[in-house]
């Protein structure tokens, strides 16, 4: 990493450090050799990663007779690709391979985005089964975090495609195949952005539904507590009246306690039935 930094005068450590920015430029190294520098963002929506570690930065150096690929974490798919890649033109092999790498990266993004649909379906099933419990909120927060990461990544990477296309045109290396591939990349980006928008909207609706369910459950709990407090108020009043230091009915009777309890139960039941008929509960 340090050797590349010294040779090409690019602070690779700084670029890899931030996973929310892309970079692209045409630069000359210390040997006055011109090369194209690209920095891509590849989302990796691993459950164990924190928000600041959900994206893998991929750096590409395109030289006249050499291509250098730098990544913060190993990407097995790209490694397999480079092992099996066949070069059709030695004149622009760097651009050819880079375009292939971009295509593979965007396909990886698209495949990963589609897996989120299964997670959303699981979240919906969990809500239907268990209601708005803590794990549901955790899964919802995780999915919303992924949506933010993907949306910002697609927007940033589109700028790299624009720059790469311009480089091909300026180098007069553009042809029907490259134009067709780049056009497919634009279509893929548009498709992913539409999917992100629809998924995000659906998650917002789920969040609203969860909030409504939580409010309903809270109202039900408060209603139950109110019912209990009102009904228990009747016995409390009766016991208070019979407990004052004056003459009261049944004070001479050995069954006075039972009479008072019975009166309390009857009046509490009448209050409960009356409130029910009034539909207060």
């Amino acid at each position: 990493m340090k050797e590349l930094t010294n040779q090409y005068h690019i602070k690779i450590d700084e670029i890899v450090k931030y996973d929310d920015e892309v970079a692209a430029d045409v630069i000359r190294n210390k040997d006055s050799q011109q090369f194209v520098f690209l920095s891509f963002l590849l989302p990796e929506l691993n459950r164990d990663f924190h928000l600041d570690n959900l994206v893998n930065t991929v750096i590409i150096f395109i030289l006249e007779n050499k291509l250098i690929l730098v990544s913060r974490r190993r990407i097995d798919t790209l490694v397999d690709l480079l092992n099996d890649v066949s070069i059709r033109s030695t004149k622009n092999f760097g651009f050819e391979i880079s375009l292939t790498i971009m295509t593979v990266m965007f396909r990886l993004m698209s495949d990963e985005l589609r897996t989120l649909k299964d997670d959303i379906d699981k979240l919906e099933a969990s809500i239907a089964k268990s209601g708005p419990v803590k794990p549901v909120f955790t899964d919802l927060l995780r999915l919303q975090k992924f949506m933010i990461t993907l949306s910002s990544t697609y927007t940033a990477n589109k700028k790299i495609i624009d720059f790469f296309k311009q480089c091909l045109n300026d180098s007069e290396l553009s042809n029907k195949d490259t134009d067709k591939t780049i056009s497919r990349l634009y279509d893929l980006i548009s498709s992913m952005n539409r999917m992100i928008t629809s998924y995000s909207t659906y998650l917002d609706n789920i969040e609203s539904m969860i909030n409504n369910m939580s409010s309903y459950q809270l109202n039900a709990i408060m209603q139950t507590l109110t019912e209990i407090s009102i009904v228990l108020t009747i016995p409390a009043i009766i016991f208070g009246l019979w407990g004052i230091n004056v003459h009261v009915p049944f004070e001479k009777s050995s069954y006075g306690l039972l009479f008072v309890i019975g009166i309390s139960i009857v009046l509490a039941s009448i209050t409960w039935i009356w409130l029910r008929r009034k539909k207060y509960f």
Side-chain angles (χ1 to χ4, degrees), residues 3 22 30 37 43 53-54 60 62 70 77 90 118 148 163 170-171 231 276 278:
E3 182 179 349
V22 296
K30 62 181 181 180
F37 167 78
N53 202 21
L54 290 175
I60 302 175
I62 306 175
V70 181
T77 305
T90 56
D118 296 332
I148 294 172
F163 178 84
D170 294 342
S171 303
V231 172
R276 281 291 179 177
K278 292 291 185 180

Side-chain angles (χ1 to χ4, degrees), residues 1-10 27-33 35 61 63 66 68:
M1 193 79 75
K2 291 182 178 179
E3 182 179 349
L4 291 174
T5 300
N6 295 331
Q7 183 175 359
Y8 297 104
H9 304 290
I10 297 176
I27 306 175
R28 290 186 179 275
N29 61 10
K30 62 181 181 180
D31 299 325
S32 297
Q33 182 183 14
F35 66 94
F61 295 88
L63 292 87
K66 182 168 57 176
I68 301 174

Side-chain angles (χ1 to χ4, degrees), residues 4 10-11 33 38 42 44 47 59 75 103 140 144 152-153 172 176-177 179 193 230 234 248 254 261 271:
L4 291 174
I10 297 176
K11 296 180 179 179
Q33 182 183 14
L38 303 173
L42 179 62
E44 294 181 333
R47 295 174 184 269
I59 299 174
I75 306 174
T103 303
L140 177 61
Q144 289 178 327
S152 61
T153 300
E172 297 182 353
K176 290 183 179 180
D177 290 336
D179 290 343
N193 282 330
I230 292 176
I234 304 302
V248 292
S254 58
I261 293 175
T271 303

Side-chain angles (χ1 to χ4, degrees), residues 134-192:
K134 184 177 179 180
V136 169
F137 288 98
T138 302
D139 291 340
L140 177 61
L141 179 61
R142 177 178 59 84
L143 288 172
Q144 289 178 327
K145 177 175 63 175
F146 288 169
M147 293 302 170
I148 294 172
T149 301
L150 292 175
S151 179
S152 61
T153 300
Y154 299 158
T155 302
N157 283 341
K158 184 177 182 299
K159 299 177 182 179
I160 299 299
I161 300 298
D162 294 337
F163 178 84
F164 188 82
K165 181 180 180 181
Q166 187 62 44
C167 285
L168 286 175
N169 293 333
D170 294 342
S171 303
E172 297 182 353
L173 298 175
S174 179
N175 53 52
K176 290 183 179 180
D177 290 336
T178 57
D179 290 343
K180 187 176 182 180
T181 302
I182 290 177
S183 177
R184 288 176 179 173
L185 289 179
Y186 281 129
D187 292 340
L188 192 56
I189 292 174
S190 298
S191 176
M192 290 190 297

